């Protein structure tokens, strides 16, 4: 029984040590904002700890899709651009290049359909620089 406890203690220490960074243990705590449009392109901040800007690299996935532009901006923040995805909730997973740990936040982000823009007025600029006359703005109604 003592050998089993010793083996478990050594294994637990090894796993904990592998997740340690200069800024403390790696951890992922929250995601803000918790939703964005299905087209993607929204900036999302993942908060946690133990990140090392300029040294640590991370891969972030929204469901099965990789996030664009993953930037570790401080010891406790990762900024990413959400990829496009289908409507509904997705898990967010974060993995680090120098750690065997994979952090998963179930249903951390919800994709929603963009607002209906069919009734939005669109302005087109015609004329302008080099045309010899003042610029005109035309409004197109849909």
């Amino acid at each position: 029984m003592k050998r089993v406890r010793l083996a478990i203690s050594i294994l637990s220490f090894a796993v904990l040590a592998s997740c340690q960074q200069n800024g403390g243990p790696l951890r992922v705590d929250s995601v803000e904002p918790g939703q964005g449009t299905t087209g993607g392109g929204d900036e999302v901040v993942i908060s946690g700890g133990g990140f090392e800007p300029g040294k640590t690299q991370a891969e972030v996935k929204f469901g099965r899709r990789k996030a664009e532009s993953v930037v570790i901006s401080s010891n406790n923040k990762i900024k990413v651009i959400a990829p496009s995805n289908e409507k509904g909730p997705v898990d967010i997973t974060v993995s680090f290049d120098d750690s065997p740990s994979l952090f998963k936040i179930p249903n951390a982000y919800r994709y929603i359909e963009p607002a209906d823009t069919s009734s939005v007025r669109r302005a087109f600029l015609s004329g302008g620089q080099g045309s010899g006359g003042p610029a005109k703005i035309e409004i197109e109604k849909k």
Side-chain angles (χ1 to χ4, degrees), residues 25 27-30 46-51 75-78:
R27 68 179 201 284
V28 174
D29 300 326
S30 65
I46 299 170
S47 298
F51 314 143
N75 290 343
N76 61 354
K77 291 196 187 311
I78 300 173

Side-chain angles (χ1 to χ4, degrees), residues 23-125:
L26 284 170
R27 68 179 201 284
V28 174
D29 300 326
S30 65
V31 175
E32 288 294 327
Q35 72 177 23
T37 61
T38 55
D42 300 306
E43 183 178 86
V44 177
V45 176
I46 299 170
S47 298
F51 314 143
E52 293 185 64
K55 182 179 177 193
T56 306
Q57 298 296 314
E59 178 180 271
V60 178
K61 289 186 178 180
F62 288 66
R64 287 186 253 147
R65 299 196 180 183
K66 282 186 182 180
E68 305 167 29
S69 179
V70 177
V71 176
I72 297 177
S73 58
S74 70
N75 290 343
N76 61 354
K77 291 196 187 311
I78 300 173
K79 292 183 180 181
V80 301
I81 302 298
S84 61
N85 216 327
E86 295 177 11
K87 182 180 174 182
V90 294
D91 299 341
I92 290 184
T93 55
V94 183
S95 60
F96 297 94
D97 62 345
D98 53 357
S99 172
S101 299
L102 176 73
F103 296 90
K104 180 178 178 180
I105 306 171
N107 299 318
Y109 196 76
R110 177 173 295 280
Y111 281 94
I112 58 173
E113 293 290 336
D116 182 19
T117 59
S118 62
S119 64
V120 174
R121 294 180 181 189
R122 298 174 189 232
F124 296 95
L125 186 64

